Amino acid sequence: MEDIDELIEDALLLVEQNFYFLHVGEFFAKLIKKEDFSHKVEDVVIKRDNLPSYKLHSRFVLEVLQDVLNKPSDEIGLFEYFVEFNAIRGICMATVEALRLEGNFRDYMFEILGEKRFEDFYDILCFIRNVLSHNIHSEIKLSFKDYDGTKRRIFRMRRNPQINFSFYYAQDFPISPYTLYGFDCFVDFEAMDENTRFLDVIDPWKLLMICELCFNLVQAYRIKNG
């Protein structure tokens, strides 16, 4: 049991770390749109313990900064894109791993969401994790393996492949001060094919709301368990 508890704790910590990384990364993404840091760029040498040093070359940093500066302020750049999608992938992956383990966190999620919504939320998280882990397409078009495993799991459980998940904090967290804050997420696993674009299924705002929910559920779980 101790090993399971340690694995769950590691997964929950990873959810939290990625959520903080998302915020810091977005802050710097906005900052480098406002100010040209090109003149401050320099090589970075990484030195860890007694291992050989490794140099990160400034020209690669300049490439990314130039990409940001050449885009309109309201258009997403390379740095911002990778911050967002790596953090989203990390949060969803870590939450899925925590929910796979039989333990107190999984029980808590059952308590908050109920069985049906738990399964729906788990399927959505698996889908996001699969797509962002395997995608190599610039438009994030789906591949068969992105959704097939989850779809087959839904059919094995004799559940509806048209998932309509919602979470509103005032209703689901009665102590929440937010009366209208929350989101709805509809995912139709039957309608997907290899021409489907991921962001047409779950748009960026919903992805961020899902990640925030993962973080908030971890925080609420920690408060409940002292």
Side-chain angles (χ1 to χ4, degrees), residues 123-155:
D123 287 335
I124 290 171
L125 292 176
C126 287
F127 172 62
I128 296 170
R129 188 276 311 270
N130 289 345
V131 173
L132 297 184
S133 296
H134 302 140
N135 174 70
I136 57 172
H137 197 285
S138 61
E139 295 182 356
I140 320 186
K141 286 186 178 179
L142 301 185
S143 67
F144 183 71
K145 63 184 178 181
D146 289 333
Y147 55 84
D148 179 61
T150 300
K151 182 178 176 181
R152 286 189 285 109
R153 177 180 182 271
I154 291 171
F155 284 137

Side-chain angles (χ1 to χ4, degrees), residues 22-39:
L22 173 65
H23 282 71
V24 174
E26 291 284 12
F27 167 76
F28 280 108
K30 294 294 184 291
L31 187 63
I32 61 179
K33 286 181 177 181
K34 296 178 180 178
E35 183 176 345
D36 186 357
F37 288 92
S38 300
H39 62 288

Side-chain angles (χ1 to χ4, degrees), residues 77-91:
L78 185 65
F79 180 75
E80 193 173 1
Y81 176 90
F82 277 98
V83 164
E84 288 184 9
F85 284 103
N86 276 286
I88 291 167
R89 177 177 55 82
I91 290 167

Side-chain angles (χ1 to χ4, degrees), residues 20 23 48 50 66 69 71 80 91 111 139-140 145 149 155 174 186 189 199 205 211 218:
Y20 284 115
H23 282 71
R48 298 286 186 268
N50 295 320
Q66 198 62 47
L69 293 171
K71 283 184 166 56
E80 193 173 1
I91 290 167
E111 177 186 334
E139 295 182 356
I140 320 186
K145 63 184 178 181
F155 284 137
F186 177 75
F189 282 94
L199 294 180
W205 179 78
C211 288
V218 170

Side-chain angles (χ1 to χ4, degrees), residues 64-211:
V64 175
L65 291 179
Q66 198 62 47
D67 171 77
V68 172
L69 293 171
N70 287 340
K71 283 184 166 56
S73 60
D74 61 344
E75 186 176 332
I76 188 170
L78 185 65
F79 180 75
E80 193 173 1
Y81 176 90
F82 277 98
V83 164
E84 288 184 9
F85 284 103
N86 276 286
I88 291 167
R89 177 177 55 82
I91 290 167
C92 292
M93 177 273 295
T95 307
V96 165
E97 294 305 316
L99 294 178
R100 282 179 170 173
L101 298 169
E102 297 287 346
N104 291 335
F105 181 68
R106 181 184 173 91
D107 293 341
Y108 175 74
M109 291 285 281
F110 257 100
E111 177 186 334
I112 294 295
L113 298 176
E115 183 176 356
K116 179 184 182 303
R117 294 171 70 217
F118 174 91
E119 298 295 349
D120 288 347
F121 190 54
Y122 179 82
D123 287 335
I124 290 171
L125 292 176
C126 287
F127 172 62
I128 296 170
R129 188 276 311 270
N130 289 345
V131 173
L132 297 184
S133 296
H134 302 140
N135 174 70
I136 57 172
H137 197 285
S138 61
E139 295 182 356
I140 320 186
K141 286 186 178 179
L142 301 185
S143 67
F144 183 71
K145 63 184 178 181
D146 289 333
Y147 55 84
D148 179 61
T150 300
K151 182 178 176 181
R152 286 189 285 109
R153 177 180 182 271
I154 291 171
F155 284 137
R156 283 197 307 271
M157 298 176 73
R158 298 183 179 180
R159 292 169 41 233
N160 189 345
Q162 295 180 324
I163 290 176
N164 197 352
F165 177 86
S166 65
F167 193 95
Y168 285 86
Y169 285 83
Q171 173 182 318
D172 295 298
F173 278 163
I175 62 173
S176 171
Y178 304 107
T179 57
L180 299 176
Y181 192 64
F183 66 98
D184 298 291
C185 182
F186 177 75
V187 180
D188 186 350
F189 282 94
E190 276 197 313
M192 295 178 189
D193 59 35
E194 295 187 5
N195 291 314
T196 304
R197 294 193 306 174
F198 174 62
L199 294 180
D200 290 336
V201 180
I202 308 178
D203 64 47
W205 179 78
K206 288 178 184 175
L207 289 171
L208 294 173
M209 292 295 287
I210 289 168
C211 288

